[in-house]
C-alpha cells in the first residue's frame, strides 16, 4: 500500500501554518475518532493516518525532512507501517484532545503506552520559581548565606507525608486494584482512563491525617539559606535542588529556581562583567598631566593622566570589573573622562585664566575675541560692581 501525502491527508496546503494543521487534524480526529465510529475499520485507519500526518507536520524538523525527502525522510523507508511515534509527541496529543475527550490515556493503546500514571500514590513535587532582587554590590561580590522566605507545600509533620492518621496505612484502590487507571472497551479499542475513585493514585487513604486532610503536605512559609555566587547578573537563574514543593503523599521534592533581578548603582553601569563610570578631571590636569586618586570596587588606586589628555578619553583599568561567574579573573573598569570646569573662581584664579587665554589668543591657540570681550566675560571687581547697580 502506498502512503498518502500527509498534506493531502489533512487537507491543507504545503505552506499551511501550524495552526491550520492543528485545526485540520482536530477536525479529522473528531470525525474519525473510534468513539464516534464503533467497529468501523475504515474510520480507525483514517484516524491513525491523520494522527501520523499530524505528528510529522506539527514538528518543524520532521516537516522539513518530509518536505525534502517525503516519507523516507521521517522514519520507515517509504513503506507502510515503518513509522515510529515519538513519545514526546504525547504531550501535544493530550493538549489537543484534552478539551474534547476529557484527557485521560486514550492513546495508551493506540500508540503504545508510556503515558500511564505510575501507581503508588506518591507524586513528585513541583518546581518553584522565586524572583530575588539584590543590590549592585551583592551581585558583584556574591553573598555567603542569603536568606529568603518562600511559601511552599511541605511534608506534613503529623503523618510524615503519608497522609494517613497515625497507626493506619493507605490501601490499594479497590476499583483499579492499585493501577491508577481502569480499562474501558470501546468496540475494538481498549482505552485506559484515570481511575475515578483514587484519581489515578492507585491507593486510597481510609483514615486521613487530620492535620493535612490526607494530602500528606501542608502550606508553609519557609526560610532558606543559600550562597549567591559573585558575578551574577540580572535574569540569571540559580537552581536549588530539592527546595521546591514536596510531592503529594510522600513524593520527592521539586527544585527551586531563584531568578535574579539586580538593582542599578548610581556610580557604575554594568555591561556583562565590565563596568563603566564617568570620572571628572579638572582641566589643568588634563593639560599638564598628573596623578589622580580613584576608589574602585577593590580599593584605592591611582590614575595617571598624560599631559594633553583629551577631555573625552576612555581609560581602562584592567581587572577592576565584575568577577567572572565561570572561569577566573574579572572584567575591566572603563572610566569615561569628563572635563571638570569650575563654576566659581577666586579673583586671582580669574586673573590667571584670563592671562592664559590672552597668551593663547596671541599664540593662535584660541580665536581672537571682540573688543572688550575679555573685560566683559571675566570682568574686574570694579566692572562687576558697576553692572550690579
Ligand atoms: Zn483507583
Ligand atoms: Zn498529615
Amino acid at each position: 500500500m502506498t502512503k498518502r501525502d500527509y498534506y493531502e491527508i489533512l487537507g491543507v496546503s504545503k505552506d499551511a501554518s501550524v495552526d491550520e494543521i492543528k485545526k485540520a487534524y482536530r477536525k479529522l480526529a473528531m470525525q474519525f475518532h473510534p468513539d464516534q465510529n464503533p467497529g468501523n475499520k475504515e474510520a480507525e485507519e483514517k484516524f491513525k493516518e491523520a494522527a501520523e500526518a499530524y505528528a510529522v507536520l506539527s514538528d518543524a524538523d520532521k516537516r522539513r525532512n518530509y518536505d525534502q525527502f517525503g516519507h523516507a525522510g521521517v522514519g520507515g523507508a517509504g513503506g507502510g507501517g515503518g513509522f515510529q511515534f515519538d513519545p514526546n509527541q504525547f504531550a501535544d496529543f493530550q493538549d489537543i484532545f484534552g478539551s474534547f475527550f476529557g484527557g485521560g490515556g486514550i492513546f495508551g493503546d493506540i500508540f503504545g503506552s508510556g503515558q500511564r500514571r505510575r501507581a503508588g500514590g506518591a507524586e513528585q513535587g513541583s518546581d518553584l520559581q522565586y524572583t530575588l532582587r539584590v543590590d549592585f554590590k551583592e551581585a558583584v561580590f556574591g553573598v555567603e548565606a542569603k536568606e529568603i522566605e518562600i511559601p511552599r507545600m511541605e511534608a506534613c509533620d503529623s503523618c510524615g507525608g503519608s497522609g494517613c492518621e497515625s497507626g493506619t496505612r493507605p490501601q490499594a484502590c479497590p476499583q483499579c486494584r492499585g493501577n491508577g487507571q481502569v480499562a474501558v472497551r470501546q468496540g475494538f479499542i481498549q482505552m485506559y482512563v484515570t481511575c475515578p475513585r483514587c484519581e489515578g493514585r492507585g491507593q486510597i487513604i481510609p483514615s486521613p491525617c487530620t492535620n493535612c486532610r490526607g494530602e500528606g503536605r501542608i502550606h508553609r512559609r519557609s526560610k532558606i539559606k543559600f550562597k549567591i555566587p559573585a558575578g551574577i547578573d540580572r535574569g540569571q537563574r540559580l537552581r536549588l535542588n530539592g527546595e521546591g514543593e514536596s510531592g503529594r503523599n510522600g513524593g520527592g521534592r521539586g527544585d527551586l529556581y531563584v531568578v535574579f533581578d539586580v538593582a542599578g548603582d548610581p556610580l557604575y553601569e554594568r555591561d556583562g562583567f565590565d563596568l563603566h563610570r564617568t570620572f571628572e578631571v579638572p582641566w589643568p590636569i588634563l593639560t599638564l598631566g598628573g596623578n589622580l586618586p580613584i576608589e574602585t570596587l577593590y580599593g584605592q588606586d591611582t590614575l595617571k593622566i598624560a599631559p594633553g589628555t583629551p577631555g573625552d578619553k576612555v581609560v581602562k583599568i584592567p581587572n577592576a570589573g565584575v568577577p567572572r561567574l565561570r572561569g577566573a579573573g574579572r572584567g575591566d573598569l572603563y572610566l569615561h573622562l569628563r572635563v571638570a570646569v569650575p563654576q566659581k573662581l577666586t579673583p586671582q584664579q580669574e586673573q590667571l585664566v584670563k592671562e592664559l587665554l590672552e597668551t593663547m589668543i596671541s599664540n593662535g591657540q584660541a580665536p581672537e575675541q571682540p573688543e572688550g570681550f575679555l573685560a566683559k566675560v571675566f570682568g574686574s571687581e570694579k566692572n562687576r560692581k558697576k553692572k550690579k547697580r
Side-chain angles (χ1 to χ4, degrees):
M1 175 177 130
T2 24
K3 280 190 136 187
R4 282 173 72 201
D5 175 65
Y6 288 148
Y7 292 99
E8 194 185 307
I9 292 169
L10 295 183
V12 295
S13 67
K14 299 249 184 227
D15 53 5
S17 70
V18 176
D19 238 32
E20 285 170 318
I21 288 169
K22 208 169 188 171
K23 259 190 210 141
Y25 171 53
R26 191 144 70 184
K27 205 174 139 209
L28 290 173
M30 287 186 72
Q31 188 184 341
F32 297 115
H33 195 277
D35 276 0
Q36 314 292 324
N37 308 275
N40 183 338
K41 270 271 169 223
E42 198 189 336
E44 187 195 354
E45 278 311 313
K46 288 222 154 103
F47 182 69
K48 285 184 178 177
E49 198 179 47
E52 183 181 321
Y54 175 71
V56 171
L57 298 186
S58 63
D59 180 306
D61 284 339
K62 288 183 187 157
R63 185 176 176 180
R64 207 175 310 115
N65 280 340
Y66 178 71
D67 287 346
Q68 210 173 346
F69 307 109
H71 291 293
V74 285
F83 189 85
Q84 291 295 309
F85 273 92
D86 177 356
N88 292 331
Q89 285 284 344
F90 261 83
D92 223 18
F93 279 125
Q94 292 230 323
D95 167 49
I96 279 191
F97 286 107
S99 51
F100 287 90
F101 304 109
I106 187 163
F107 290 100
D109 213 50
I110 307 178
F111 301 130
S113 66
Q115 198 63 345
R116 257 193 257 179
R117 208 167 186 164
R118 186 167 52 96
E123 283 169 29
Q124 172 78 18
S126 34
D127 294 339
L128 293 176
Q129 182 166 307
Y130 181 91
T131 302
L132 177 64
R133 188 172 170 86
V134 294
D135 67 36
F136 174 76
K137 283 193 177 160
E138 283 180 313
V140 172
F141 296 114
V143 181
E144 206 44 53
K146 181 81 178 176
E147 190 178 86
I148 59 173
E149 197 181 88
I150 55 157
R152 65 180 177 191
M153 299 299 282
E154 294 195 342
C156 170
D157 305 314
S158 309
C159 62
S162 73
C164 302
E165 201 55 49
S166 81
T168 74
R169 302 182 58 180
Q171 290 174 0
C173 170
Q175 189 157 344
C176 61
R177 273 174 284 165
N179 287 321
Q181 295 199 320
V182 285
V184 177
R185 273 208 171 273
Q186 289 278 348
F188 55 88
I189 222 161
Q190 175 162 294
M191 299 185 294
Y192 288 92
V193 297
T194 303
C195 171
R197 174 86 184 264
C198 62
E199 291 172 338
R201 260 166 254 143
Q203 47 181 232
I204 55 166
I205 294 171
S207 351
C209 161
T210 47
N211 192 38
C212 63
R213 295 199 207 98
E215 168 97 358
R217 49 187 199 160
I218 49 168
H219 195 262
R220 192 184 279 159
R221 290 190 72 84
S222 320
K223 285 182 176 155
I224 300 169
K225 266 190 193 163
F226 61 99
K227 180 180 171 161
I228 298 179
I232 56 115
D233 206 350
R234 184 171 297 152
Q236 281 173 339
R237 219 162 71 140
L238 187 68
R239 187 170 84 177
L240 302 177
N241 287 330
E243 292 289 2
E245 299 213 296
S246 292
R248 280 172 89 152
N249 303 114
R253 299 183 84 141
D255 299 328
L256 171 66
Y257 291 90
V258 178
V259 181
F260 292 98
D261 181 20
V262 180
D265 184 81
L267 201 55
Y268 293 101
E269 198 162 304
R270 184 168 166 180
D271 175 21
F273 298 111
D274 292 334
L275 293 173
H276 296 263
R277 83 181 236 203
T278 54
F279 191 68
E280 294 212 327
V281 185
W283 63 266
I285 294 180
L286 289 170
T287 302
L288 302 171
N291 289 324
L292 288 168
I294 175 169
E295 177 87 22
T296 72
L297 285 173
Y298 304 96
Q300 203 70 34
D301 211 330
T302 303
L303 182 63
K304 284 193 173 66
I305 301 282
T309 293
D312 58 353
K313 191 175 175 171
V314 179
V315 185
K316 179 167 107 173
I317 302 189
N319 214 33
V322 179
R324 296 182 193 280
L325 262 184
R326 290 178 198 84
R330 309 177 189 130
D332 304 319
L333 168 63
Y334 292 89
L335 299 174
H336 298 249
L337 300 192
R338 198 159 71 185
V339 188
V341 179
Q343 299 302 301
K344 277 181 187 164
L345 293 175
T346 65
Q348 191 204 1
Q349 287 172 332
E350 220 174 79
Q351 190 55 39
L352 288 169
V353 175
K354 186 179 157 187
E355 278 170 28
L356 173 65
L357 181 55
E358 276 167 352
T359 63
M360 286 176 79
I361 289 169
S362 50
N363 259 340
Q365 291 163 307
E368 198 82 42
Q369 297 300 301
E371 201 69 34
F373 176 80
L374 286 176
K376 261 188 219 157
V377 172
F378 299 113
S380 62
E381 274 311 290
K382 219 173 159 187
N383 279 344
R384 218 181 273 161
K385 274 174 190 159
K386 265 185 199 165
K387 255 187 202 166
K388 276 186 180 167
R389 262 182 225 145

